[in-house]
Amino acid sequence: MKPTLRLWLSGLALSLSTFAAQAAVTIDGITFQDTAQVAGQTLQLNGAGKRVRIIVDVYAMGLYVPKVDSSASALIPGAGPRSARIVLMRDLTGADFAEAMAKGIEQNHSSADLAKLQARLDELGTAMKAFGQLRKGTVVQMNQVPGTGLQVIVNGETKIKGIPGDDFYAALMRIWLGDKPADKDLKKALLSNR
């Protein structure tokens, strides 16, 4: 190989690796890659941030969607595959996680909407309580899989195979993107397009 071509290829490889490194988002040492795969589709990182309760860091979260958007109203009801990747920044129990999710959904839905979701919320709560102790660093991935519904993967192991309905995943998204989000700064970060 000619020295000029070798130098050009080396420069190109360095540029591509630098671009890839810049594309990821790191929050307090937790890295969210620029893309994620769900149901055979490449999703884009819409934004990432952390959930803080009073002064305690609870988790970091990245939101992956088919098309990046800064509008909560566009992202909440979106169809197709999506993913919320949550990395715990402190120890929690599955029951703590389930309780926080239920509270977030209740704050962002009317009584009539909650009645439609209740059986699926109960299923999610029961499954999450069975997670037991979740240690700092645990990765919880909540995927919307077309034709399957909500799939929850904990540290690479599928714990919930499918709770049906785009409306159910939209209800979950309102926890973070709704009118009464779990954390206003996290909502801004998830909508920041980085």
Side-chain angles (χ1 to χ4, degrees), residues 71-165:
S71 166
S73 61
L75 291 171
I76 289 171
R82 293 180 282 162
S83 183
R85 183 174 181 250
I86 297 169
V87 182
L88 298 185
M89 300 176 83
R90 60 183 294 255
D91 293 352
L92 292 173
T93 65
D96 294 334
F97 209 119
E99 183 179 319
M101 298 276 290
K103 182 178 178 184
I105 289 173
E106 286 171 13
Q107 289 178 335
N108 286 281
H109 292 85
S110 69
S111 297
D113 289 335
L114 285 172
K116 293 176 192 171
L117 298 168
Q118 196 59 58
R120 291 174 287 170
L121 288 171
D122 292 344
E123 181 180 350
L124 176 63
T126 299
M128 292 185 110
K129 288 173 185 172
F131 293 173
Q133 185 69 37
L134 300 171
R135 300 283 179 205
K136 179 179 177 180
T138 296
V139 178
V140 178
Q141 195 168 320
M142 304 179 81
N143 297 336
Q144 173 66 7
V145 179
T148 300
L150 172 68
Q151 178 187 68
V152 180
I153 301 167
V154 179
N155 288 336
E157 182 182 347
T158 301
K159 297 285 190 176
I160 299 173
K161 294 185 179 181
I163 298 177

Side-chain angles (χ1 to χ4, degrees), residues 16-130:
L16 290 174
S17 66
T18 301
F19 174 76
Q22 291 173 341
V25 174
T26 301
I27 298 164
D28 292 352
I30 299 167
T31 300
F32 294 92
Q33 297 302 323
D34 189 44
T35 61
Q37 293 287 320
V38 173
Q41 184 172 339
T42 301
L43 303 178
Q44 305 298 315
L45 179 63
N46 200 76
K50 68 179 172 179
R51 164 79 167 104
V52 179
R53 185 165 181 180
I54 306 172
I55 59 168
V56 178
D57 294 343
V58 182
Y59 54 80
M61 178 179 175
L63 178 62
Y64 293 88
V65 295
K67 183 180 175 194
V68 172
D69 201 311
S70 60
S71 166
S73 61
L75 291 171
I76 289 171
R82 293 180 282 162
S83 183
R85 183 174 181 250
I86 297 169
V87 182
L88 298 185
M89 300 176 83
R90 60 183 294 255
D91 293 352
L92 292 173
T93 65
D96 294 334
F97 209 119
E99 183 179 319
M101 298 276 290
K103 182 178 178 184
I105 289 173
E106 286 171 13
Q107 289 178 335
N108 286 281
H109 292 85
S110 69
S111 297
D113 289 335
L114 285 172
K116 293 176 192 171
L117 298 168
Q118 196 59 58
R120 291 174 287 170
L121 288 171
D122 292 344
E123 181 180 350
L124 176 63
T126 299
M128 292 185 110
K129 288 173 185 172

